[in-house]
Amino acid sequence: MAVILITGGARSGKSTRAEARARSFAGQPVYVATAEALDGEMQERIARHRARRGADWIEREVPLDLVPALLSTEGGGARLVDCLTLWLSNLMHAARDWERDVRELADTLPRLNSPVVLVTNEVGLGIVPDNALARSFRDAAGIMNQIIAGAADEVEFVVAGLPLKLK
Amino acid sequence: MAVILITGGARSGKSTRAEARARSFAGQPVYVATAEALDGEMQERIARHRARRGADWIEREVPLDLVPALLSTEGGGARLVDCLTLWLSNLMHAARDWERDVRELADTLPRLNSPVVLVTNEVGLGIVPDNALARSFRDAAGIMNQIIAGAADEVEFVVAGLPLKLK
Amino acid sequence: MAVILITGGARSGKSTRAEARARSFAGQPVYVATAEALDGEMQERIARHRARRGADWIEREVPLDLVPALLSTEGGGARLVDCLTLWLSNLMHAARDWERDVRELADTLPRLNSPVVLVTNEVGLGIVPDNALARSFRDAAGIMNQIIAGAADEVEFVVAGLPLKLK
């Protein structure tokens, strides 16, 4: 089954692109949100994404355990994971061995019975952050993106709403 | 008439590329600067851009009202707007409804009687900024870039002085 | 001789890509590290890069004087310079005229007797940094990348481990 990774910067149109790719597959799509609605800024963003997608998606909140969620057989269509960067942040906050989780996900992706579209962020193209935690996070995000891109069949880099084919 | 959007990072060669594209059209080009020379750093940058362009451009400072400036019929050549990111910042400082202004610009672009080349910045590919104002700005910049890219005939992403065709 | 520039964000897979390009040329490759092992974070990164490369490289630490190091005739294979961004930072800390050094490097590259692969970073795609020093650095890095890309035969932009051809 197709494994598609969509990467890009903040508000680059990644989610819209990923939704279009997920809808292009037959069956009811499953929206796997890694965000938890912990604050107002996030609640507002989740509500806006939901309004755009429409009501015909199965929705699941999966902050940590992506692999079992992707292996579940509910819904006949593509799974859309939005987004891996937040998932990584959740793993780090939960003091999980994030690299092990990322590699487990990469190993699982080619074995899924449904197409999957994963959204991630590029966060390493600015100036080196002052604080060590932000540096660790951007390093981890870069490593994760390389690992998942290696396991994907297609990778797109979205800039200003326009996809650039990387793989 | 051609609508060309040139995007990229700081000092990526966007302005030089945009000037070359603007000069490729017949007639005297019009340089529409959204910057105001408010501090020394900005004055120096404006002077350097002017020295590079040469004296054969009509120059206009338009911090806010881009649409009437682009509709004006002076100069027979292309309009070069440098840059939209600063324009957005000016709109936000002036407490304007920036999204309305951006959509009005997008609606106007296909109706112009002159070719137009617009420069913008990618600001969303670094780590999430600590302060909420910076986060709002990068969100707005990403949304603006998607809207204007949607209205453009051509979009280029400049990296290290080299254009990558997005559209 | 081939001059190849590899650019990208933090942990985008630039070094791995550059090593593969350098190994594709005949002869023993020379690794020109611009990093000095001044702190633990850097020592750890250097050790990790060395473990990945393997033992068959000649290794040189060259924080400042890249041109004579590249003109040296030791080793029969490609030179890999990792990375220019750190070199620029070293030049600025040493209060050197960095733009002169960068232009001298660009002038030297086409005259080398060995292929050379240079790694650099994109640092200008985030929000404008608060402090003036960081702004100066990202401006300098962008200017350097344009100058070196102009002198290169090939330029690749690496995202999530995947190269995008710019030139």
Side-chain angles (χ1 to χ4, degrees):
Chain A
M1 284 296 181
V3 177
I4 300 168
L5 179 66
I6 310 287
T7 191
R11 300 303 176 96
S12 61
K14 301 179 307 289
S15 294
T16 306
R17 175 68 184 168
E19 287 163 25
R21 296 298 310 263
R23 276 183 184 288
S24 74
F25 296 98
Q28 188 182 16
V30 182
Y31 184 80
V32 180
T34 58
E36 293 176 291
L38 298 177
D39 63 31
E41 202 172 323
M42 193 54 82
Q43 281 165 10
E44 194 239 328
R45 184 169 289 218
I46 290 172
R48 199 174 45 232
H49 278 211
R50 180 177 293 140
R52 186 181 58 204
R53 273 198 310 279
D56 53 332
W57 294 66
I58 296 172
E59 293 186 15
R60 293 294 170 259
E61 279 196 14
V62 186
L64 293 169
D65 295 305
L66 272 187
V67 166
L70 290 175
L71 288 171
S72 134
T73 55
E74 68 175 342
R79 280 84 179 94
L80 168 51
V81 179
D82 195 355
C83 70
L84 293 180
T85 318
L86 213 52
W87 175 60
L88 177 67
S89 171
N90 294 340
L91 291 174
M92 290 174 97
H93 276 109
R96 293 256 289 243
D97 178 350
W98 63 266
E99 198 161 345
R100 212 190 61 92
D101 281 291
V102 167
R103 291 193 185 280
E104 190 194 356
L105 174 60
D107 291 343
T108 304
L109 291 172
R111 302 189 288 110
L112 297 177
N113 292 317
S114 312
V116 61
V117 183
L118 305 119
V119 177
T120 193
N121 286 262
E122 293 302 315
V123 300
L125 293 142
I127 211 81
V128 180
D130 281 335
N131 81 75
L133 203 70
R135 281 201 301 280
S136 300
F137 182 74
R138 77 169 196 160
D139 281 356
I143 292 165
M144 175 185 72
N145 287 354
Q146 288 187 55
I147 294 171
I148 303 300
D153 301 305
E154 286 186 56
V155 182
E156 291 183 346
F157 178 42
V158 180
V159 179
L162 302 166
L164 206 54
K165 199 169 180 61
L166 290 176
K167 181 179 182 179
Chain B
M1 283 295 181
V3 177
I4 301 168
L5 179 67
I6 310 286
T7 191
R11 299 303 177 99
S12 61
K14 303 177 308 287
S15 295
T16 305
R17 175 70 185 167
E19 287 162 26
R21 297 296 312 263
R23 276 182 183 290
S24 73
F25 296 98
Q28 189 181 17
V30 182
Y31 184 79
V32 181
T34 57
E36 293 175 291
L38 297 177
D39 63 31
E41 202 172 323
M42 194 53 85
Q43 281 166 9
E44 194 239 328
R45 183 169 289 217
I46 289 172
R48 200 174 45 235
H49 278 211
R50 180 176 294 142
R52 186 179 58 207
R53 274 197 311 277
D56 53 330
W57 294 66
I58 296 172
E59 293 186 16
R60 292 293 170 261
E61 279 197 13
V62 186
L64 293 169
D65 295 305
L66 272 186
V67 166
L70 290 174
L71 289 171
S72 134
T73 56
E74 69 175 343
R79 280 88 178 89
L80 168 51
V81 178
D82 195 355
C83 67
L84 292 179
T85 318
L86 214 51
W87 175 60
L88 177 67
S89 170
N90 295 339
L91 291 173
M92 290 174 96
H93 277 108
R96 296 256 287 244
D97 177 351
W98 63 266
E99 198 161 346
R100 212 191 61 93
D101 281 291
V102 166
R103 291 192 187 280
E104 189 194 356
L105 174 61
D107 291 344
T108 304
L109 291 173
R111 303 190 286 109
L112 296 178
N113 292 317
S114 313
V116 61
V117 183
L118 305 119
V119 177
T120 192
N121 287 262
E122 294 302 315
V123 300
L125 293 143
I127 211 81
V128 180
D130 281 336
N131 82 75
L133 202 69
R135 281 202 300 281
S136 302
F137 183 73
R138 75 169 197 160
D139 282 356
I143 292 165
M144 175 184 72
N145 287 353
Q146 288 186 56
I147 294 170
I148 303 299
D153 302 303
E154 286 185 57
V155 182
E156 291 182 346
F157 178 41
V158 180
V159 179
L162 302 166
L164 208 53
K165 199 170 181 62
L166 291 175
K167 183 180 181 177
Chain C
M1 285 295 180
V3 177
I4 301 167
L5 180 66
I6 310 288
T7 192
R11 299 303 177 96
S12 62
K14 303 178 307 287
S15 294
T16 305
R17 175 69 184 167
E19 288 163 24
R21 297 297 312 262
R23 276 182 183 289
S24 73
F25 295 99
Q28 190 182 14
V30 182
Y31 184 79
V32 181
T34 57
E36 293 175 292
L38 298 176
D39 63 30
E41 202 172 324
M42 195 51 84
Q43 281 165 11
E44 194 238 327
R45 184 169 287 217
I46 290 173
R48 199 173 46 232
H49 277 211
R50 180 176 293 140
R52 186 179 59 204
R53 273 197 311 277
D56 54 330
W57 294 65
I58 296 172
E59 293 186 14
R60 294 292 170 262
E61 280 197 11
V62 186
L64 293 169
D65 295 305
L66 271 187
V67 166
L70 290 175
L71 289 171
S72 135
T73 56
E74 69 174 344
R79 281 88 179 88
L80 167 51
V81 179
D82 195 354
C83 68
L84 292 179
T85 319
L86 214 52
W87 175 60
L88 176 67
S89 171
N90 295 339
L91 292 174
M92 291 174 96
H93 277 107
R96 294 255 290 243
D97 177 351
W98 63 266
E99 199 162 344
R100 211 192 61 94
D101 281 291
V102 167
R103 291 193 186 277
E104 189 195 355
L105 174 60
D107 291 343
T108 303
L109 290 173
R111 302 188 289 110
L112 297 178
N113 292 316
S114 313
V116 61
V117 183
L118 306 118
V119 176
T120 194
N121 287 261
E122 294 303 315
V123 300
L125 293 142
I127 210 82
V128 181
D130 281 335
N131 81 78
L133 203 69
R135 282 201 301 280
S136 300
F137 183 74
R138 76 169 198 161
D139 281 357
I143 292 166
M144 176 184 71
N145 287 354
Q146 288 187 55
I147 293 171
I148 303 300
D153 301 304
E154 287 185 56
V155 183
E156 291 182 347
F157 178 42
V158 180
V159 179
L162 302 166
L164 208 52
K165 198 170 181 60
L166 291 175
K167 181 181 183 178

